Amino acid sequence: FLASQMEWRETLEDCKAEKNIPGLENLLKELRAEANSLETKLTKLFDKKKDVKGATEATRKLTFIDKVYADVNKTIGILED
């Protein structure tokens, strides 16, 4: 997950520098897909397996994705103005 975090942040910064809105939109799609996957995993970990530690880790990952997602949306808004 650390490698993904670094890649997402690097993509955000590259697209921002290049004013590449389509690239940012693609990043949003990737983040959405990862979040959906984690949400499904979270449900299984917490509700079915009662794995609180695993659910906590999935929640931390979702929190990070949410922050990057917000940063990407903010950047798109700035570039569109």
Side-chain angles (χ1 to χ4, degrees), residues 14-26:
D14 289 348
C15 288
K16 185 177 181 179
E18 297 166 5
K19 299 182 184 225
N20 181 355
I21 293 175
L24 291 169
E25 290 169 343
N26 286 335

Side-chain angles (χ1 to χ4, degrees), residues 2-69:
L2 180 59
S4 294
Q5 291 177 25
M6 292 169 43
E7 182 181 322
W8 293 328
R9 285 289 178 188
E10 185 177 320
T11 300
L12 170 58
E13 292 306 316
D14 289 348
C15 288
K16 185 177 181 179
E18 297 166 5
K19 299 182 184 225
N20 181 355
I21 293 175
L24 291 169
E25 290 169 343
N26 286 335
L27 179 56
L28 287 177
K29 288 178 189 173
E30 182 179 339
L31 291 167
R32 248 184 264 132
E34 183 66 24
N36 288 340
S37 175
L38 281 168
E39 287 168 358
T40 300
K41 182 178 180 180
L42 178 61
T43 300
K44 290 177 185 174
L45 288 169
F46 193 72
D47 291 341
K48 296 179 182 173
K49 295 183 179 181
K50 308 297 184 206
D51 180 357
V52 176
K53 185 177 178 181
T56 301
E57 183 63 29
T59 301
R60 284 189 188 118
K61 291 176 180 179
L62 281 166
T63 301
F64 179 83
I65 289 171
D66 186 55
K67 289 178 184 177
V68 176
Y69 196 90

